[in-house]
Amino acid sequence: MHNTGSEPEPRGEPPPEEPSDPPRALCILSNVLEKLVARNDNLGSAASGRSFIAFHGSRAPAISLENYVRRIYKYTSCSPACFVVGFVYIDRLVHKYPDSLVLSINIHRLLVTSVMVASKILDDVHYNNAFYARVGGLSNAEINKLELELLFLLNFEVCVTSRVFEIYCQHLEKEMLCREILLSEQRSGDGEDN
């Protein structure tokens, strides 16, 4: 059962659930974000502006972005659409604040906060901030602060039209096809070497 903001918050770790693989689109989303982060990390922190400073950790978390997406999906049971809309929010930030970079030290916090806000907009039933904090490895105070920061950075423009949503889904589908073609070529290339 999901917990809304008015119900008591869950205690301890999120409840164990059956292992469920996220939809492939979420794996592609994590791959797209990993490529963005890798490119930006190579530019160096000197190129990073101050807009995303609230999301910076002292170092990159040990958990990979793909496993972090899996964790959020597994424990929050939010719809895959929340991840797409969270991606829209991150992309909006990137375009609105081009001097600030999405880096390995801020992507995890940006992602869990974006997905949490998206779940409040899209899903009829969602967990409260304290639960998302626990799933994301943050304190309740920190996730509350990050939520406000994200909302102000977005000027509270959190609605995503169906057309914009479709465009981002199509982008992820193209990424998925490109990835499948690349993997197919690598497999066939490996077969030729034998």
Side-chain angles (χ1 to χ4, degrees), residues 16-28:
E17 294 181 7
E18 292 297 316
S20 59
D21 285 334
R24 286 184 34 189
L26 299 188
C27 296
I28 299 302

Side-chain angles (χ1 to χ4, degrees), residues 8-164:
E9 64 187 56
R11 302 278 180 221
E13 278 295 306
E17 294 181 7
E18 292 297 316
S20 59
D21 285 334
R24 286 184 34 189
L26 299 188
C27 296
I28 299 302
L29 172 68
S30 64
N31 185 264
V32 168
L33 290 173
E34 283 172 349
K35 285 195 276 188
L36 173 67
V37 166
R39 185 194 71 202
N40 289 344
D41 280 350
N42 286 336
L43 294 174
S45 59
S48 180
R50 304 207 34 91
S51 298
F52 305 158
I53 199 87
F55 295 91
H56 286 202
S58 56
R59 64 187 184 289
I63 188 171
S64 72
L65 200 51
E66 183 175 352
N67 287 337
Y68 199 64
V69 166
R70 287 175 183 271
R71 179 175 173 80
I72 294 169
Y73 180 76
K74 176 181 176 183
Y75 290 116
T76 66
S77 302
C78 66
S79 63
C82 294
F83 288 85
V84 176
V85 171
F87 178 48
V88 172
Y89 295 162
I90 292 170
D91 198 48
R92 285 179 179 175
L93 292 177
V94 166
H95 287 93
K96 187 172 180 176
Y97 305 99
D99 64 319
S100 296
L101 300 177
V102 176
L103 302 164
S104 57
I105 60 171
N106 63 24
I107 185 59
H108 292 76
R109 286 177 175 85
L110 278 166
L111 183 64
V112 73
T113 307
S114 295
V115 170
M116 181 184 74
V117 170
S119 76
K120 291 179 179 184
I121 301 298
L122 297 176
D123 290 347
D124 292 334
V125 180
H126 56 82
Y127 285 105
N128 62 22
N129 288 19
F131 191 82
Y132 271 91
R134 211 168 0 270
V135 169
L138 306 169
S139 70
N140 191 32
E142 186 173 15
I143 197 90
N144 291 340
K145 181 184 85 161
L146 294 177
E147 179 182 32
L148 281 174
E149 184 72 21
L150 178 70
L151 290 170
F152 276 102
L153 287 171
L154 291 170
N155 288 330
F156 290 84
E157 295 171 6
V158 292
C159 291
V160 174
T161 66
S162 58
R163 180 68 189 129
V164 169

